[in-house]
Amino acid sequence: MSILKKSSTVRFLAQTIFLLLCSAMTVWASGPKDPSPHGTNIFAPASTPAKSIADLSVLVLVITGIIFVVVFVLLVYSVVKFRGRAKDAGREPAQVYGSTQIELAWTIIPILIVVVLFLATARVIHAIQDAPEPAGAVQVTVIGHQYWWEFRYPKLGIVTANELHIPVSDPGHPTPTFLQLLSADTDHSFWVPELAGKTDLIPNHPNRMWMDPQRTGIFLGQCAQYCGTQHAKMLLRVSVDGPQDFAVWVRAQQGPAVEDAGAIAGRRVFESNACMNCHAVAGTAADGRFGPDLTHLMSRVTIAAGAAKNTHDNLRLWIQDPSAIKPGSLMPAMKLSDTDLDAVVSYMETLR
Amino acid sequence: MSSNAITLPGTQIQARPWVDELHQWLTTVDHKRLGILYILSALLFLAIGGVEALIIRIQLMHSHNNFVSPEVFNRMFTMHGTTMIFFVAMPVLFGFANYLVPLMIGARDMAFPRLNAFSFWLSFLGGLLLYFSFLGGSGLYGAGSAPDVGWWSYAPLGARAFSPGHSSDYWTLAVLVSGFGSIGTAINIIATILCLRCPGMKLNRMPLLVWMNLVMAGMVLFAVTPLSAAQIMLLIDRYLGGHFFDTQAGGSAVLWMHFFWIFGHPEVYILIIPCFAFMSEIIPVFSRKPIFGYPVMVAATVCIAFVSMSVWAHHMFTIGMNSYANSFFTLTTMAVGVPTGIKIFNWIGTMWGGRIQFKTPMLFSIGFLFQFLIAGLTGIMIAASPFDWQLSLSYFVVAHFHYVIVGGILFALFAAFYYWYPKMTGRMLSERLGKWHFWLFLIGFHLTFDVMHIPGILGMPRRIYTYEPGRGWDTLNLIITIGAFIQALAILVFLANLVISYFKGDRAGNDPWDAWTLEWSISSPPPAYNFATVPTVASRRPLWDLKHPEDPDSRYE
């Protein structure tokens, strides 16, 4: 913020208020002491777009804070100083109708403030929205579905769901991720607060956003645009991996599904029921597109778009009765026999 | 100035049977009775919308709560928003406009009394249609009951593919029908103000309340018509095979957003400008000074009306507009802050040097000034579009607009209730209950809506029926819920005050506040014909001139 640099007082104020805010935030944000995942605090940015937004926010907070203090003091002063007293009863105060000079002052000063705020804002808008896509960028197509996320990496040939993996970006050698945002049904919004502001996924209206995380770890977020019954449980996990980890993950995802002879019964149940109409498992007959790709299901930490941990019991419950975990989910209860259910769950558990 | 009522010799007023009385109310074309009907219907829907808010707050009290199902929760926030905007805020403000505008300009009724009645019954019918959805919404499909698509019903969620049954049809029809009512009343207000002013009441002598309602009515014509058009297009989509918003057949979801928000943002000013009007009448009277800078107040109001027509897309910063559009709407939105700021300064300028009397209407007015200041400043924050990319669709925005609507509009309305109730009923509202109401509501309000900003900053999106533990949102949401119940308690005190004071309140007399506008020159409640002889005015404060013949305002204007 060049405006901040010009005045050390303003800078000091900015830092003080920012620190106060941050400490307040951390107090509130401190849930269970889990080193990962990261929280969802917009004032704890880990990527350039989120960082420039946080910086701009501090400038806006400082200016509005000063306006607040000035007007608040005027208001309190006039209420206290000019309160009616018993000795004045029956007498009217001097009748003042206005003052052109004062009116001009409190018109022109706000106009100047608006100009400053607007210029600072326009710079950040341009810097974030019009950033060119460098050659080394990772491209991901994000497709919003009721109520889950599909992630496709067109250059890498990967299809996955709900848990986005992207590489950490070293400022000296940036590898940002550029997302193309599409929707298969209603409007959604991709929001991972510590990585970037949100952008909507709208059918027939492709959008774009980018992020260049500078810290590894899990970043949480969720759908921010109301998209239907289970909008609340359309959660997002972004795993920011180191370069090696990311390469390993890419290789693993590119492979076909593991074929495990021990799970052949479950695979048969999967392929002879409606499962395969909606779900795909690469290298098999299942190529449905309505639900998440299950080729590497066990590489994901959660199921049902983050609504539950990916454990044996949860998987079983989910297949048996999705509404027990996520009422309103579009996955139907499959009404399988216990034997079939166990078989299908064992099959799922081989899809690493 | 004439305060004597016409007395016809030989007639005696007898108590009529209640059926006759009811019939009189249902068939009335009197602007005062219609105004009261508007206000009563708004109070009814306020209670219903308030219960819906409490259900929402109980569900969000802690993470993974199971008080209501997701379907019910989604219906509650849809109904709460739709009810509060279309069937509480609009009617209650129209009610006050209906009641006060003719009295303040020395007219005997609105310009079109029958249109007035028609408009009221249309908007009331709209409210009934909305709530009939609980019974009729499932249609033949057994799908849904009340609408659950959100109060802005974004396309394509409102399309038949995603909203089968009739639930969102009731939403569409309710908004459409009440919209026709709003347009009718707006035309009526404009015609009344332009044509029925008493002798001497030039435009620049009109009370600010009248000026601001004129501007508000003009804005209704420009803002509600596109919304009505969009609702008709949506009906065509749903029943006649149209594809305006049907994205699966090439329609545009973004088109709906533009239609909705070119209504939706001016709507905020349609609601707040009449509240500015209340402030511009109440603050001077309780500061014992004329409004500071009358011409500037009028100019600022007109300026807000124009600029607010070009800010709608700030509700759409996250939809992927290009950087030029985002910059433009950032600039226009911030620019609205200038005339709005001028108003706040002028109200403070009015209090400055006055002798402020802290009666309940003035307490609510000071509350309004404080909260509206904060609401304006958080508005500047979300006007900065990159900041909004984080805050939009989060609880920060929910806190912001409740600060405007509850902290601003509702506080101003309470001030108006305490100020004009004596004129409407002939009885004073109890000051003691009024102060309980004020302090309880103030505490509840700040507990709820100050705290509500923080979960937004911590990444909590709006419209979620539940949330994951461990995000740092639980304690905050519990505090918010407690505040909501304190507000509900305050509303009960208010309703009790309305009822008790109607029977037992002190007699008001013609002019309990020693005020200056024409409505205080006649009896409380005013006779059906308002003015026995049409008054003539010579200044902006006709009653001041009357009370201070040695130093009349007319000398300075």
Side-chain angles (χ1 to χ4, degrees):
Chain A
M1 277 315 84
S2 65
I3 297 132
L4 284 186
K5 276 174 195 146
K6 276 175 195 150
S7 155
S8 58
T9 333
V10 174
R11 196 181 168 78
F12 170 75
L13 267 172
Q15 284 170 345
T16 319
I17 292 178
F18 182 68
L19 283 176
L20 275 174
L21 263 174
C22 286
S23 47
M25 297 308 145
T26 28
V27 170
W28 287 116
S30 57
K33 291 280 173 279
D34 187 1
S36 70
H38 294 277
T40 47
N41 183 347
I42 67 170
F43 286 109
S47 150
T48 306
K51 175 126 189 10
S52 25
I53 291 175
D55 289 345
L56 173 71
S57 312
V58 172
L59 173 75
V60 176
L61 281 171
V62 169
I63 294 183
T64 49
I66 293 171
I67 299 174
F68 173 76
V69 170
V70 170
V71 181
F72 181 68
V73 167
L74 280 174
L75 178 63
V76 170
Y77 180 80
S78 56
V79 166
V80 174
K81 167 93 181 167
F82 302 109
R83 66 187 187 279
R85 294 178 176 85
K87 67 181 166 65
D88 297 326
R91 288 189 300 145
E92 300 283 22
Q95 303 292 298
V96 178
Y97 299 87
S99 153
T100 313
Q101 290 91 331
I102 296 177
E103 298 279 3
L104 271 177
W106 65 45
T107 307
I108 291 169
I109 295 171
I111 289 177
L112 295 178
I113 296 174
V114 164
V115 169
V116 170
L117 276 175
F118 168 68
L119 292 178
T121 307
R123 244 182 57 166
V124 178
I125 296 174
H126 174 71
I128 294 177
Q129 275 204 284
D130 302 335
E133 183 175 332
V138 176
Q139 291 174 347
V140 183
T141 303
V142 181
I143 306 169
H145 294 262
Q146 281 183 324
Y147 309 98
W148 62 282
W149 306 90
E150 179 177 355
F151 299 120
R152 304 177 83 89
Y153 297 67
K155 277 194 192 156
L156 302 174
I158 296 173
V159 182
T160 181
N162 299 328
E163 297 177 11
L164 179 66
H165 283 253
I166 59 176
V168 72
S169 181
D170 171 12
H173 180 69
T175 49
T177 302
F178 276 69
L179 307 176
Q180 197 193 16
L181 306 172
L182 309 173
S183 168
D185 37 51
T186 60
D187 305 327
H188 306 275
S189 193
F190 185 98
W191 190 26
V192 182
E194 297 190 359
L195 295 183
K198 64 182 74 63
T199 310
D200 293 2
L201 297 81
I202 301 169
N204 289 353
H205 185 86
N207 277 332
R208 192 186 84 132
M209 67 183 280
W210 63 280
M211 48 185 78
D212 60 342
Q214 280 138 29
R215 291 205 302 269
T216 56
I218 304 289
F219 290 86
L220 298 176
Q222 65 191 87
C223 178
Q225 181 69 275
Y226 178 62
C227 56
T229 312
Q230 267 299 347
H231 165 57
K233 290 193 179 171
M234 186 166 166
L235 308 179
L236 265 167
R237 283 171 78 89
V238 178
S239 170
V240 176
D241 303 333
Q244 254 83 54
D245 291 348
F246 185 68
V248 168
W249 180 82
V250 167
R251 264 197 306 283
Q253 296 289 312
Q254 282 170 331
V258 175
E259 298 217 20
D260 189 329
I264 192 73
R267 181 172 163 185
R268 199 157 293 145
V269 175
F270 188 85
E271 291 181 351
S272 56
N273 274 286
C275 310
M276 59 179 280
N277 294 350
C278 294
H279 293 284
V281 178
T284 74
D287 62 352
R289 288 279 314 272
F290 289 109
D293 187 300
L294 300 179
T295 310
H296 299 286
L297 174 65
M298 298 319 286
S299 73
R300 305 204 278 265
V301 183
T302 62
I303 57 170
K309 286 259 182 304
N310 189 359
T311 62
H312 175 83
D313 291 346
N314 281 343
L315 259 180
R316 197 173 190 284
L317 179 61
W318 177 246
I319 296 169
Q320 189 184 24
D321 180 17
S323 68
I325 292 177
K326 203 169 162 179
S329 148
L330 297 189
M331 170 146 161
M334 293 310 296
K335 301 204 167 57
L336 299 176
S337 67
D338 276 356
T339 336
D340 284 357
L341 188 59
D342 287 331
V344 123
V345 172
S346 330
Y347 173 52
M348 292 293 108
E349 285 173 336
T350 64
L351 299 174
R352 285 179 296 276
Chain B
M1 212 59 42
S2 175
S3 59
N4 56 317
I6 299 173
T7 44
L8 298 176
T11 54
Q12 277 196 329
I13 296 166
Q14 286 178 337
R16 279 190 298 263
W18 68 270
V19 183
D20 277 13
E21 190 67 29
L22 186 66
H23 182 258
Q24 295 277 330
W25 277 93
L26 295 183
T27 57
T28 185
V29 293
D30 176 7
H31 74 99
K32 296 181 291 300
R33 289 194 158 191
L34 285 167
I36 290 171
L37 283 175
Y38 262 119
I39 292 169
L40 289 178
S41 80
L43 287 175
L44 170 71
F45 284 114
L46 175 75
I48 299 172
V51 170
E52 286 158 356
L54 292 180
I55 293 172
I56 293 172
R57 282 323 315 171
I58 295 174
Q59 167 67 16
L60 291 178
M61 199 161 59
H62 59 82
S63 51
H64 285 180
N65 195 2
N66 283 318
F67 180 64
V68 291
S69 69
E71 289 88 352
V72 170
F73 183 88
N74 296 344
R75 276 172 214 145
M76 286 303 118
F77 72 68
T78 303
M79 295 295 274
H80 170 74
T82 309
T83 304
M84 289 301 195
I85 296 292
F86 293 102
F87 303 106
V88 178
M90 293 276 272
V92 77
L93 294 166
F94 281 151
F96 275 100
N98 242 305
Y99 196 96
L100 294 171
V101 165
L103 291 179
M104 283 188 156
I105 61 173
R108 287 190 165 144
D109 206 323
M110 297 284 276
F112 310 115
R114 281 162 183 274
L115 174 65
N116 202 8
F118 180 64
S119 301
F120 164 72
W121 289 108
L122 268 187
S123 70
F124 187 62
L125 173 70
L128 295 183
L129 268 177
L130 184 69
Y131 278 89
F132 185 71
S133 64
F134 277 107
L135 299 176
S138 56
L140 297 173
Y141 306 88
S145 67
D148 60 355
V149 288
W151 87 275
W152 58 55
S153 185
Y154 262 10
L157 199 59
R160 276 180 99 177
F162 301 105
S163 179
H166 292 311
S167 61
S168 57
D169 294 327
Y170 282 101
W171 178 83
T172 302
L173 289 173
V175 171
L176 183 64
V177 167
S178 76
F180 289 145
S182 304
I183 293 169
T185 298
I187 292 172
N188 215 340
I189 291 173
I190 294 172
T192 306
I193 295 173
L194 293 184
C195 305
L196 297 187
R197 278 165 292 136
C198 66
M201 182 155 299
K202 302 188 288 190
L203 282 180
N204 77 353
R205 281 185 195 154
M206 288 197 310
L208 278 177
L209 183 137
V210 179
W211 252 114
M212 292 182 185
N213 275 291
L214 177 64
V215 172
M216 177 274 278
M219 291 182 71
V220 168
L221 293 187
F222 281 95
V224 176
T225 35
L227 178 70
S228 305
Q231 301 293 5
I232 292 169
M233 289 156 82
L234 181 59
L235 282 176
I236 291 174
D237 269 15
R238 284 178 66 92
Y239 288 100
L240 298 175
H243 303 300
F244 294 109
F245 313 118
D246 179 3
T247 48
Q248 291 172 319
S252 169
V254 175
L255 178 67
W256 173 268
M257 298 175 186
H258 281 294
F259 265 111
F260 190 86
W261 290 118
I262 200 149
F263 151 78
H265 199 81
E267 169 71 9
V268 179
Y269 290 90
I270 288 170
L271 301 181
I272 198 81
I273 284 180
C275 296
F276 293 167
F278 299 147
M279 293 300 103
S280 304
E281 297 301 329
I282 294 170
I283 291 175
V285 167
F286 291 97
S287 306
R288 309 308 305 158
K289 278 179 65 206
I291 189 81
F292 192 88
Y294 173 99
V296 181
M297 288 299 262
V298 174
T301 310
V302 176
C303 181
I304 288 175
F306 276 104
V307 181
S308 74
M309 292 286 173
S310 62
V311 300
W312 77 92
H314 68 212
H315 294 265
M316 298 157 58
F317 281 145
T318 64
I319 70 146
M321 294 186 295
N322 67 31
S323 55
Y324 299 102
N326 283 333
S327 304
F328 173 80
F329 286 105
T330 293
L331 179 62
T332 53
T333 305
M334 288 180 173
V336 181
V338 176
T340 315
I342 291 173
K343 279 174 180 287
I344 292 186
F345 287 126
N346 273 319
W347 289 317
I348 295 178
T350 305
M351 294 196 291
W352 198 276
R355 301 217 168 104
I356 301 169
Q357 302 168 346
F358 296 102
K359 297 280 170 54
T360 313
M362 191 60 183
L363 291 181
F364 277 106
S365 302
I366 295 168
F368 168 93
L369 286 179
F370 175 64
Q371 280 127 215
F372 190 65
L373 168 66
I374 296 177
L377 293 175
T378 54
I380 294 282
M381 295 176 200
I382 49 182
S385 42
F387 205 175
D388 190 60
W389 295 334
Q390 290 286 19
L391 298 178
S392 178
L393 302 171
S394 81
Y395 260 89
F396 188 93
V397 166
V398 180
H400 161 74
F401 70 72
H402 280 93
Y403 238 95
V404 176
I405 293 176
V406 180
I409 295 169
L410 196 54
F411 267 72
L413 271 167
F414 285 141
F417 267 103
Y418 283 89
Y419 185 68
W420 279 292
Y421 183 91
K423 181 51 60 184
M424 294 181 181
T425 63
R427 305 268 191 173
M428 305 297 287
L429 279 170
S430 153
E431 275 288 311
R432 201 161 135 250
L433 284 178
K435 297 224 156 96
W436 272 100
H437 170 205
F438 172 74
W439 289 109
L440 273 177
F441 199 75
L442 191 81
I443 293 166
F445 170 83
H446 284 283
L447 215 50
T448 296
F449 295 111
D450 294 7
V451 175
M452 196 184 272
H453 290 88
I454 305 171
I457 289 171
L458 295 181
M460 179 170 173
R462 64 194 288 197
R463 297 178 164 183
I464 53 173
Y465 75 94
T466 192
Y467 48 90
E468 302 298 306
R471 296 283 184 94
W473 303 343
D474 289 65
T475 320
L476 298 168
N477 274 290
L478 182 62
I479 298 172
I480 295 169
T481 300
I482 293 170
F485 277 90
I486 298 177
Q487 288 179 73
L489 186 64
I491 297 277
L492 288 181
V493 173
F494 169 62
L495 294 177
N497 198 354
L498 288 183
V499 174
I500 294 171
S501 300
Y502 183 77
F503 297 104
K504 300 201 168 156
D506 298 338
R507 297 270 171 201
N510 290 5
D511 184 14
W513 310 116
D514 192 6
W516 302 310
T517 39
L518 284 178
E519 77 271 30
W520 304 107
S521 69
I522 52 178
S523 63
S524 310
Y529 45 82
N530 294 352
F531 299 94
T533 51
V534 173
T536 305
V537 300
S539 80
R540 288 170 196 148
R541 296 193 296 169
L543 267 62
W544 171 275
D545 294 358
L546 203 68
K547 293 167 187 169
H548 301 270
E550 76 292 351
D551 184 30
D553 267 8
S554 49
R555 196 178 289 167
Y556 307 100
E557 284 174 15

